[in-house]
């Protein structure tokens, strides 16, 4: 079947132009000049989608999600079915989630478990990173096999002692292994040992409410860990990708490394661009628990958000991901009613990334092309999925979003599709709306209707990071 998307402005990371998109089966066949003889000929017999007045953008690529993550004494409330469906509603057509090797487990066995969770359940295409939670000789060897199979990135944690934490020696050994097999090391850069001391002291003082999560996870402990991760990556000669960066001081460390031509990259997330410790984490009663995530929301007095937007412009921040890790208030966040340390860490937002970053286009923080670059093209290249994903071009998968740049609407728990009993974005008014979504040529969302099916999404083996120098 052929499909022609006509009348829209096609946006790429390099710019935007009026063009018609011809799709043959699952792939883009051509970008055509509107009104050209070839476009007119293509229209005959094709399913025609009118995108007049709309933006036609590559499907979003969210390279940091946690469907069904067992964490904080519970499990993330979106499974692969509900979470990827919500992604589709929000214009994200590819996710890269995290398979988890826990302490004492074999990497291969853990990966098999996560593959089984996703297989046949996803609404959009998906790949995996591997969390290495137990650095042993066997785990290191298995990394090489995973790279050969398309799992080309490995997350380590400098935080969460006793859960996922790796010490500096383990980190260095993993980096040395990645230097040999070409894998990308993704780092949760917070000094977890120091944080746990401050957290215990806060609790002993009787400071038990959610905002204390932000007070004890100090910006210095993010920037120190970021600096340390960068130095270890230099010694280990591995490429490094800092995940969910929130502090301007950590961004400074990334900028210094990048100025020295190191293979150091970083992402931030919408929550750090829009939410703050004072306005969200410090909400009255237990409401702030909805905003407990790590790294934490930062103080608005310290202008982190402005610096993060600047980093997104300068490319010291190359990617926006969600770190989608949803927990309901009821029975999940509530685990920490009397002790902020027991609140499961995470915010659900896989559905809102494209819209929230588009707000930056509206306010002049970034341009239209940069929006696409941050949300689709660069994440695809960073994680070895380009040009299959992240661009609308001949031969690419026809993952396409038709986006109304002017529609105004309000985000609410009543209209989102994530499996959560609240929305961190409740009441946020946005301009811009995902009207239609195609995943490999198939319309899966159209004007308020979901037309896809569980299992539409396919597993994506990935090549190495495509930015390595
Ligand atoms: O708070 C967060 N970020 N939860 C998910 C786990 C992680 O560290 O990415
Ligand atoms: Zn993390
Ligand atoms: Zn995460």
């Amino acid at each position: 079947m052929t499909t022609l998307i006509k009348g829209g402005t096609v946006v790429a990371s390099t710019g935007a132009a009026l063009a018609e998109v011809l799709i043959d089966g699952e792939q883009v066949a051509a970008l055509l000049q509107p009104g050209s003889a070839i476009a007119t000929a293509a229209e005959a017999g094709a399913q025609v989608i009118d995108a007049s007045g709309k933006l036609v953008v590559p499907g979003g690529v969210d390279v940091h999600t946690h469907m069904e993550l067992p964490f904080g004494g519970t499990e993330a409330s979106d499974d692969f079915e509900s979470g990827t469906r919500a992604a589709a509603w929000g214009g994200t057509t590819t996710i890269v989630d995290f398979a988890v090797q826990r302490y004492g487990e074999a990497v291969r066995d853990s990966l098999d478990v996560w593959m089984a969770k996703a297989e046949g359940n996803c609404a959009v295409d998906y790949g995996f990173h591997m969390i290495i939670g137990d650095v042993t000789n066997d785990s290191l060897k298995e990394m090489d096999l995973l790279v050969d199979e398309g799992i080309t990135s490995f997350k380590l944690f400098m935080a969460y002692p006793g859960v996922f934490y790796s010490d500096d020696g383990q980190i260095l050994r993993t980096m040395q292994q990645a230097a040999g097999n070409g894998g990308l090391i993704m780092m949760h850069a917070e000094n977890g040992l120091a944080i746990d001391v401050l957290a215990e002291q806060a609790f002993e003082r009787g400071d038990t409410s959610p905002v204390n999560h932000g007070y004890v996870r100090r910006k210095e402990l993010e920037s120190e860990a970021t600096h340390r991760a960068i130095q270890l990556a230099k010694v280990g000669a591995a490429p490094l990708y800092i995940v969910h960066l929130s502090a301007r001081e950590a961004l400074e460390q990334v900028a210094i490394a990048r100025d020295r031509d190191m293979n150091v990259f970083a992402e931030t997330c919408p929550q750090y661009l829009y939410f703050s410790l004072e306005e969200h984490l410090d909400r009255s009663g237990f409401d702030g628990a909805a905003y407990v995530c790590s790294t934490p929301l930062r103080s608005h007095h310290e202008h982190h958000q402005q610096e993060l937007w600047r980093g997104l412009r300068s490319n010291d921040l190359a990617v926006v991901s969600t770190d989608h890790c949803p927990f309901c208030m009821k029975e999940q966040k509530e685990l920490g009613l009397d002790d902020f340390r027991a609140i499961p860490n995470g915010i659900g937002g896989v559905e809102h990334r494209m819209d929230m970053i588009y707000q930056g286009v509206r306010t002049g923080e970034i341009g239209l092309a940069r929006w696409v670059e941050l949300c689709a093209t660069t994440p695809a290249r960073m994680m070895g999925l380009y040009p299959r994903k992240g661009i609308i071009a001949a031969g690419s998968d026809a993952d396409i979003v038709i986006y109304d740049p002017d529609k105004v609407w309000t985000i609410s728990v009543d209209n989102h599709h994530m499996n959560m009993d609240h929305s961190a974005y409740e009441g946020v008014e946005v301009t811009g709306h995902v009207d239609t979504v195609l995943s490999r040529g198939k319309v899966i969302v159209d004007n308020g209707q979901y037309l896809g099916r569980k299992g539409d999404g396919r597993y994506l083996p990935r090549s190495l990071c495509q930015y390595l120098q």
Side-chain angles (χ1 to χ4, degrees), residues 64 66 98 155 244 323:
H64 190 153
H66 298 284
F98 289 83
K155 185 174 177 189
H244 48 52
D323 192 10

Side-chain angles (χ1 to χ4, degrees), residues 129-261:
H129 317 282
M130 189 84 218
I131 288 176
I132 303 290
D134 191 4
V135 179
T136 63
N137 288 337
D138 284 345
S139 312
L140 294 173
K141 274 193 224 120
E142 287 191 277
M143 283 173 65
D144 296 354
L145 302 176
L146 261 56
V147 168
D148 292 341
E149 291 175 32
I151 316 280
T152 54
S153 38
F154 303 91
K155 185 174 177 189
L156 296 173
F157 290 80
M158 300 168 106
Y160 309 137
V163 186
F164 294 135
Y165 175 82
S166 292
D167 67 29
D168 290 353
Q170 291 170 319
I171 289 170
L172 181 60
R173 290 180 75 205
T174 313
M175 286 174 163
Q176 288 170 332
Q177 197 76 19
N181 62 35
L184 179 67
I185 297 295
M186 305 174 77
M187 189 63 76
H188 181 130
E190 285 187 294
N191 185 328
L193 296 175
I195 286 168
D196 277 9
V197 170
L198 297 181
E200 193 181 334
Q201 290 168 348
F203 182 75
E204 296 300 326
R205 281 196 306 272
D207 295 335
T208 60
S209 67
V211 72
N212 290 289
H213 174 85
Y215 292 146
V216 303
R217 301 188 91 89
R218 292 179 56 150
K219 61 188 179 182
E220 292 84 356
L221 300 178
E222 184 185 350
S223 69
E224 181 275 327
T226 304
H227 175 81
R228 187 157 35 99
I230 290 168
Q231 301 313 309
L232 289 169
K234 191 168 187 185
V235 174
L240 177 67
Y241 177 96
I242 305 289
V243 294
H244 48 52
L245 186 149
S246 70
R248 57 186 290 182
E249 292 79 2
L251 179 57
E252 275 166 24
Q253 297 301 323
V254 170
I256 291 168
R258 291 180 56 75
D259 286 347
R260 293 182 185 156
D261 280 344

Side-chain angles (χ1 to χ4, degrees), residues 207-397:
D207 295 335
T208 60
S209 67
V211 72
N212 290 289
H213 174 85
Y215 292 146
V216 303
R217 301 188 91 89
R218 292 179 56 150
K219 61 188 179 182
E220 292 84 356
L221 300 178
E222 184 185 350
S223 69
E224 181 275 327
T226 304
H227 175 81
R228 187 157 35 99
I230 290 168
Q231 301 313 309
L232 289 169
K234 191 168 187 185
V235 174
L240 177 67
Y241 177 96
I242 305 289
V243 294
H244 48 52
L245 186 149
S246 70
R248 57 186 290 182
E249 292 79 2
L251 179 57
E252 275 166 24
Q253 297 301 323
V254 170
I256 291 168
R258 291 180 56 75
D259 286 347
R260 293 182 185 156
D261 280 344
M262 286 183 69
N263 279 319
V264 171
F265 312 97
E267 67 172 22
T268 191
C269 312
Q271 52 268 34
Y272 305 121
L273 295 164
Y274 292 103
F275 300 155
S276 71
L277 183 145
E278 293 83 1
E279 286 148 354
H280 297 84
L281 196 53
D282 198 15
R283 285 196 176 166
S284 63
F286 191 62
D287 292 356
Y291 299 94
V292 165
C293 61
S294 298
T295 59
L297 304 183
R298 299 292 174 195
S299 167
H300 73 78
H301 299 301
E302 296 167 355
H303 308 294
H304 297 278
Q305 292 175 359
Q306 289 92 323
E307 286 304 303
L308 295 182
W309 280 112
R310 196 193 53 72
L312 290 174
R313 288 190 292 275
S314 71
N315 206 39
D316 288 328
L317 293 169
V319 170
V320 178
S321 306
T322 56
D323 192 10
H324 177 74
C325 192
F327 297 103
C328 290
M329 291 298 273
K330 196 108 208 95
E331 291 175 12
Q332 294 200 299
K333 292 283 186 181
E334 278 179 1
L335 291 168
L337 259 176
D338 302 319
D339 180 354
F340 70 92
R341 297 173 300 174
I343 301 170
N345 286 200
I347 291 183
V350 73
E351 194 168 344
H352 302 313
R353 184 183 62 125
M354 297 298 280
D355 289 322
M356 291 312 297
I357 303 309
Y358 181 70
Q359 302 318 293
V361 178
R362 303 289 310 192
T363 55
E365 295 283 1
I366 54 170
L368 205 49
R370 186 66 178 152
W371 171 51
V372 164
E373 191 167 38
L374 289 166
C375 293
T377 316
T378 299
R381 289 182 71 178
M382 191 67 72
M383 299 303 164
L385 291 167
Y386 182 88
R388 181 167 173 193
K389 305 295 186 187
I391 184 171
I392 301 174
S396 297
D397 281 355

Side-chain angles (χ1 to χ4, degrees), residues 20 31 42 112 242 268 303 362 423 447:
E20 302 193 355
L31 259 70
D112 289 347
I242 305 289
T268 191
H303 308 294
R362 303 289 310 192
S423 170
N447 289 311

